[in-house]
Amino acid sequence: MAAYDEIADWYEEEFLRAQPVNPGAEALRGLLGEGSGVCLELGCGTGVHAGLVRELGWTPVGVDLSGGMLRHARARLPIARADAARLPIRDSSVAAVVAVLVHTDMPAYFAVLREVARVLRPDGVFVHVGVHPCFCGGFADRGDPAAVVVRPGYLDGHWTKESWTDQGIRDKVGATHWPLPELLNGFLDAGLTLDRFAEAGTPLPIVLAARAHAR
Ligand SMILES: C[S@@+](CC[C@H](N)C(=O)[O-])C[C@H]1O[C@@H](n2cnc3c(N)ncnc32)[C@H](O)[C@@H]1O
């Protein structure tokens, strides 16, 4: 993904280091839990979650479209350059799949969810940790640390580079947005069963996370 190639060094050296707590990691820990076997991370980026996945007992493996991001990930986990919407992986072969802070970067996320349902073992687990569709987006102004201002736009379901900050990702590469029901229906339509949910971030959640399994 060319847009991420251009910002990969900024993502690794500035963006991630500016976050004292990674809200995605907190939700991932809670919903993935301990386990064993391969845990495939879709859109692994620079591989920042590999250590946590390993700590929980899993064997992390990452795929991403961006060679620039994967250059940083290589030292953290085994990786492959691949499109999450067309995984080069056998049916029913993976124990766990995780997708952390990527759905807004994947306009074809519903195809990605269908791929998750295809590659997961019958006893496998999928954890989605995504930018919160209600409290983040072009319509949400998080500039005041004490309040989030939500303006009309939530219902539009659109791709945008509009952002309250120039220190984030959306203003650089853009982001897709789906209202909450559309996003959750995408899981069901893909053949996934939702098991648990979590939120993380202040003063209002920054991430909405879900654990699911293949039906
Ligand atoms: C915001 S970054 C998140 C990286 C990492 N998961 C994290 O939490 O730091 C989004 C990542 O998704 C990747 N990506 C976007 N579309 C993709 C696709 N279709 N298949 C695989 N990776 C993709 C981008 O290259 C980028 O590395």
Side-chain angles (χ1 to χ4, degrees):
M1 198 187 189
Y4 270 93
D5 287 345
E6 279 166 29
I7 65 164
D9 292 345
W10 167 85
Y11 193 92
E12 167 79 5
E13 285 148 27
E14 294 181 45
F15 179 68
L16 289 176
R17 287 186 195 160
Q19 299 178 8
V21 178
N22 186 316
E26 186 187 329
L28 179 63
R29 179 188 290 281
L31 288 183
L32 179 61
E34 294 184 356
S36 59
V38 166
C39 176
L40 173 68
E41 183 176 358
L42 307 177
C44 64
T46 60
V48 68
H49 305 295
L52 168 58
V53 168
R54 213 172 267 123
E55 191 189 314
L56 291 168
W58 303 92
T59 303
V61 174
V63 296
D64 201 287
L65 268 185
S66 162
M69 296 293 268
L70 289 176
R71 207 161 23 84
H72 293 285
R74 197 165 291 140
R76 298 183 173 127
L77 76 169
I79 43 121
R81 187 150 181 237
D83 184 348
R86 295 178 55 193
L87 290 170
I89 293 175
R90 282 197 321 272
D91 294 0
S92 310
S93 61
V94 182
V97 180
V98 299
V100 187
L101 300 175
V102 295
H103 86 280
T104 43
D105 291 292
M106 299 179 177
Y109 196 61
F110 299 135
V112 172
L113 293 176
R114 288 195 292 276
E115 279 294 83
V116 171
R118 181 183 70 75
V119 303
L120 265 187
R121 282 190 344 210
D123 59 345
V125 58
F126 172 51
V127 176
H128 157 105
V129 178
V131 170
H132 203 298
C134 304
F135 306 122
C136 302
F139 55 87
D141 184 344
R142 300 186 70 109
D144 177 351
V148 176
V149 178
V150 175
R151 301 202 169 84
Y154 166 80
L155 291 172
D156 294 355
H158 59 285
W159 184 92
T160 185
K161 280 184 129 177
E162 214 175 294
S163 176
W164 61 272
T165 175
D166 62 3
Q167 304 298 308
I169 299 175
R170 194 171 49 241
D171 67 302
K172 296 174 183 57
V173 301
T176 303
H177 162 71
W178 291 281
L180 186 58
E182 209 175 324
L183 179 61
L184 295 181
N185 285 333
F187 284 73
L188 304 181
D189 293 346
L192 294 164
T193 298
L194 290 157
D195 299 318
R196 304 288 299 168
F197 299 97
E199 292 180 316
T202 57
L204 284 168
I206 292 168
V207 304
L208 172 69
R211 189 178 72 207
H213 66 268
R215 275 202 293 273

